[in-house]
Amino acid sequence: MDYFCATAVILHSVYLCCVRTVGLQHPSVASAFGAMLLLLLTGHISYLSLVHFDYGYNMMANVAIGLVNLAWWLVWCLRNRRRLPHTRRCMVVVVLLQGLSLLELLDFPPLFWVLDAHALWHVSTIPVHTLFFRFLEDDSLYLLKESGAMFKLD
């Protein structure tokens, strides 16, 4: 379940980026993209569960999806950084998560026979997800304010 949830979280972040970049103007495009990501996740989980559990394939797939996530969010953040100052949080989050993913890729023996790379990965991501939630919260408040101004009646 840990591997499947990791893939789902990364794909969900890709979906959120799609919604933020395309979906507000074209919700049907975001919905179709979301359906495609759901099919991709279903195929990934089915292959690993029913055909062959290949740890190497799973890691390669997650790294590839993670790099797409990193690139897409960074491009969006860089394009909007002057207008939306809260994008700094998003940039920090995606760069930190990509860097921390090295704990998953560069496994090492447990420190003090307790803390292995996987455990450190999980502990280190807690504050990063809190920061990402703060970005999403600020961005949602910005969008609400923007839509309120758009529909404001004199």
Short mmCIF file of all heavy atoms in Angstrom, two decimals, residues 3 55 59-60 63 97-111 115-122 124:
data_model
loop_
_atom_site.label_atom_id
_atom_site.label_comp_id
_atom_site.label_asym_id
_atom_site.label_seq_id
_atom_site.Cartn_x
_atom_site.Cartn_y
_atom_site.Cartn_z
N TYR A 3 3.65 1.87 -1.55
CA TYR A 3 4.07 2.20 -2.91
C TYR A 3 2.91 2.73 -3.74
O TYR A 3 3.06 3.67 -4.52
CB TYR A 3 4.69 0.97 -3.59
CG TYR A 3 5.89 0.44 -2.86
CD1 TYR A 3 6.00 -0.90 -2.55
CD2 TYR A 3 6.92 1.28 -2.47
CE1 TYR A 3 7.11 -1.40 -1.88
CE2 TYR A 3 8.04 0.80 -1.80
CZ TYR A 3 8.12 -0.54 -1.50
OH TYR A 3 9.21 -1.02 -0.84
N TYR A 55 9.97 -3.87 -8.13
CA TYR A 55 10.34 -2.69 -7.35
C TYR A 55 11.06 -1.65 -8.22
O TYR A 55 10.81 -0.45 -8.10
CB TYR A 55 11.23 -3.11 -6.18
CG TYR A 55 11.64 -1.97 -5.29
CD1 TYR A 55 10.76 -1.42 -4.37
CD2 TYR A 55 12.92 -1.42 -5.39
CE1 TYR A 55 11.13 -0.36 -3.55
CE2 TYR A 55 13.31 -0.36 -4.59
CZ TYR A 55 12.40 0.17 -3.67
OH TYR A 55 12.78 1.22 -2.87
N MET A 59 9.84 2.21 -8.85
CA MET A 59 10.66 3.38 -8.53
C MET A 59 10.87 4.25 -9.77
O MET A 59 10.79 5.48 -9.69
CB MET A 59 12.00 2.95 -7.93
CG MET A 59 11.89 2.34 -6.55
SD MET A 59 11.03 3.39 -5.36
CE MET A 59 12.29 4.58 -5.00
N MET A 60 11.14 3.62 -10.92
CA MET A 60 11.32 4.40 -12.15
C MET A 60 10.05 5.16 -12.50
O MET A 60 10.11 6.33 -12.91
CB MET A 60 11.72 3.48 -13.32
CG MET A 60 13.18 3.20 -13.39
SD MET A 60 13.74 2.45 -14.93
CE MET A 60 12.37 1.50 -15.48
N VAL A 63 9.67 8.10 -10.04
CA VAL A 63 10.65 9.16 -10.31
C VAL A 63 10.25 9.93 -11.56
O VAL A 63 10.30 11.17 -11.58
CB VAL A 63 12.07 8.57 -10.45
CG1 VAL A 63 13.04 9.59 -11.03
CG2 VAL A 63 12.57 8.08 -9.09
N LEU A 97 10.78 18.12 -1.99
CA LEU A 97 10.31 16.74 -2.16
C LEU A 97 11.19 15.97 -3.14
O LEU A 97 11.49 14.79 -2.92
CB LEU A 97 8.85 16.70 -2.61
CG LEU A 97 7.83 16.96 -1.52
CD1 LEU A 97 6.42 17.01 -2.11
CD2 LEU A 97 7.91 15.92 -0.42
N GLN A 98 11.61 16.64 -4.20
CA GLN A 98 12.48 15.96 -5.16
C GLN A 98 13.82 15.64 -4.52
O GLN A 98 14.37 14.56 -4.70
CB GLN A 98 12.65 16.83 -6.41
CG GLN A 98 12.95 16.05 -7.64
CD GLN A 98 11.83 15.11 -8.04
OE1 GLN A 98 10.65 15.35 -7.79
NE2 GLN A 98 12.17 14.02 -8.67
N GLY A 99 14.35 16.58 -3.74
CA GLY A 99 15.61 16.33 -3.05
C GLY A 99 15.48 15.24 -1.99
O GLY A 99 16.34 14.37 -1.87
N LEU A 100 14.39 15.29 -1.23
CA LEU A 100 14.19 14.28 -0.18
C LEU A 100 13.93 12.89 -0.77
O LEU A 100 14.16 11.88 -0.10
CB LEU A 100 13.02 14.68 0.73
CG LEU A 100 13.30 15.87 1.65
CD1 LEU A 100 12.01 16.32 2.34
CD2 LEU A 100 14.37 15.52 2.67
N SER A 101 13.49 12.85 -2.01
CA SER A 101 13.25 11.54 -2.63
C SER A 101 14.55 10.75 -2.77
O SER A 101 14.53 9.53 -2.95
CB SER A 101 12.56 11.68 -3.99
OG SER A 101 13.42 12.29 -4.92
N LEU A 102 15.67 11.44 -2.67
CA LEU A 102 16.96 10.73 -2.68
C LEU A 102 17.06 9.76 -1.51
O LEU A 102 17.77 8.75 -1.58
CB LEU A 102 18.12 11.72 -2.65
CG LEU A 102 18.30 12.54 -3.93
CD1 LEU A 102 19.39 13.59 -3.74
CD2 LEU A 102 18.59 11.66 -5.11
N LEU A 103 16.35 10.04 -0.41
CA LEU A 103 16.34 9.09 0.71
C LEU A 103 15.72 7.76 0.28
O LEU A 103 16.08 6.72 0.80
CB LEU A 103 15.57 9.68 1.90
CG LEU A 103 16.26 10.81 2.65
CD1 LEU A 103 15.29 11.45 3.64
CD2 LEU A 103 17.50 10.29 3.36
N GLU A 104 14.76 7.83 -0.63
CA GLU A 104 14.15 6.61 -1.14
C GLU A 104 15.07 5.91 -2.14
O GLU A 104 15.14 4.69 -2.18
CB GLU A 104 12.82 6.93 -1.85
CG GLU A 104 11.67 7.20 -0.92
CD GLU A 104 11.15 5.93 -0.28
OE1 GLU A 104 10.66 5.04 -1.00
OE2 GLU A 104 11.24 5.82 0.95
N LEU A 105 15.76 6.69 -2.94
CA LEU A 105 16.58 6.12 -4.01
C LEU A 105 17.95 5.65 -3.53
O LEU A 105 18.47 4.65 -4.00
CB LEU A 105 16.76 7.16 -5.13
CG LEU A 105 15.47 7.62 -5.80
CD1 LEU A 105 15.76 8.76 -6.76
CD2 LEU A 105 14.77 6.47 -6.49
N LEU A 106 18.54 6.38 -2.60
CA LEU A 106 19.88 6.05 -2.12
C LEU A 106 19.77 5.41 -0.73
O LEU A 106 20.13 6.00 0.28
CB LEU A 106 20.74 7.32 -2.04
CG LEU A 106 20.84 8.12 -3.34
CD1 LEU A 106 21.57 9.42 -3.10
CD2 LEU A 106 21.52 7.30 -4.43
N ASP A 107 19.27 4.22 -0.71
CA ASP A 107 19.03 3.51 0.55
C ASP A 107 20.35 3.28 1.27
O ASP A 107 21.40 3.10 0.65
CB ASP A 107 18.34 2.18 0.26
CG ASP A 107 17.62 1.63 1.46
OD1 ASP A 107 17.46 2.37 2.44
OD2 ASP A 107 17.21 0.47 1.41
N PHE A 108 20.30 3.31 2.59
CA PHE A 108 21.49 3.05 3.40
C PHE A 108 21.09 2.22 4.63
O PHE A 108 19.91 2.17 4.99
CB PHE A 108 22.17 4.35 3.82
CG PHE A 108 21.28 5.33 4.52
CD1 PHE A 108 20.97 5.21 5.88
CD2 PHE A 108 20.73 6.39 3.82
CE1 PHE A 108 20.15 6.12 6.51
CE2 PHE A 108 19.91 7.31 4.45
CZ PHE A 108 19.62 7.17 5.80
N PRO A 109 22.06 1.56 5.25
CA PRO A 109 21.75 0.76 6.44
C PRO A 109 21.17 1.63 7.55
O PRO A 109 21.50 2.82 7.65
CB PRO A 109 23.10 0.17 6.85
CG PRO A 109 23.99 0.34 5.69
CD PRO A 109 23.46 1.49 4.88
N PRO A 110 20.35 1.06 8.40
CA PRO A 110 19.72 1.84 9.47
C PRO A 110 20.73 2.48 10.42
O PRO A 110 21.72 1.85 10.80
CB PRO A 110 18.88 0.81 10.22
CG PRO A 110 18.70 -0.32 9.28
CD PRO A 110 19.90 -0.33 8.39
N LEU A 111 20.47 3.73 10.76
CA LEU A 111 21.26 4.43 11.77
C LEU A 111 20.79 3.97 13.14
O LEU A 111 19.59 3.94 13.40
CB LEU A 111 21.07 5.94 11.65
CG LEU A 111 21.43 6.57 10.30
CD1 LEU A 111 20.95 8.01 10.26
CD2 LEU A 111 22.93 6.50 10.08
N LEU A 115 16.69 3.85 12.35
CA LEU A 115 16.29 4.83 11.34
C LEU A 115 16.92 4.52 9.98
O LEU A 115 18.08 4.83 9.75
CB LEU A 115 16.68 6.24 11.78
CG LEU A 115 15.96 6.77 13.01
CD1 LEU A 115 16.56 8.10 13.43
CD2 LEU A 115 14.47 6.91 12.74
N ASP A 116 16.15 3.91 9.12
CA ASP A 116 16.66 3.67 7.76
C ASP A 116 16.21 4.83 6.86
O ASP A 116 15.50 5.74 7.28
CB ASP A 116 16.19 2.32 7.23
CG ASP A 116 14.69 2.23 7.03
OD1 ASP A 116 13.97 3.14 7.48
OD2 ASP A 116 14.25 1.25 6.42
N ALA A 117 16.65 4.78 5.61
CA ALA A 117 16.35 5.86 4.67
C ALA A 117 14.84 6.03 4.47
O ALA A 117 14.34 7.15 4.39
CB ALA A 117 17.03 5.57 3.33
N HIS A 118 14.13 4.92 4.42
CA HIS A 118 12.68 4.98 4.21
C HIS A 118 11.98 5.67 5.38
O HIS A 118 11.09 6.50 5.18
CB HIS A 118 12.14 3.56 4.00
CG HIS A 118 10.74 3.53 3.49
ND1 HIS A 118 10.43 3.82 2.19
CD2 HIS A 118 9.58 3.26 4.12
CE1 HIS A 118 9.12 3.72 2.03
NE2 HIS A 118 8.58 3.38 3.19
N ALA A 119 12.38 5.36 6.60
CA ALA A 119 11.79 6.00 7.78
C ALA A 119 12.11 7.50 7.79
O ALA A 119 11.23 8.32 8.08
CB ALA A 119 12.30 5.34 9.05
N LEU A 120 13.34 7.87 7.46
CA LEU A 120 13.71 9.28 7.41
C LEU A 120 12.94 10.02 6.33
O LEU A 120 12.57 11.18 6.49
CB LEU A 120 15.22 9.43 7.20
CG LEU A 120 16.07 9.03 8.40
CD1 LEU A 120 17.55 9.08 8.03
CD2 LEU A 120 15.78 9.92 9.59
N TRP A 121 12.69 9.35 5.20
CA TRP A 121 11.88 9.94 4.13
C TRP A 121 10.50 10.30 4.65
O TRP A 121 10.01 11.41 4.47
CB TRP A 121 11.80 8.97 2.95
CG TRP A 121 10.58 9.14 2.10
CD1 TRP A 121 9.49 8.34 2.07
CD2 TRP A 121 10.33 10.17 1.13
NE1 TRP A 121 8.58 8.81 1.15
CE2 TRP A 121 9.07 9.93 0.57
CE3 TRP A 121 11.05 11.28 0.70
CZ2 TRP A 121 8.51 10.75 -0.40
CZ3 TRP A 121 10.49 12.10 -0.27
CH2 TRP A 121 9.24 11.83 -0.81
N HIS A 122 9.86 9.35 5.34
CA HIS A 122 8.51 9.60 5.83
C HIS A 122 8.48 10.73 6.86
O HIS A 122 7.61 11.59 6.82
CB HIS A 122 7.90 8.32 6.42
CG HIS A 122 7.36 7.41 5.36
ND1 HIS A 122 6.22 7.68 4.67
CD2 HIS A 122 7.82 6.24 4.88
CE1 HIS A 122 5.99 6.72 3.80
NE2 HIS A 122 6.96 5.82 3.90
N SER A 124 10.64 13.18 7.20
CA SER A 124 11.03 14.47 6.60
C SER A 124 9.94 15.08 5.73
O SER A 124 9.94 16.30 5.52
CB SER A 124 12.31 14.30 5.80
OG SER A 124 12.09 13.45 4.69
#
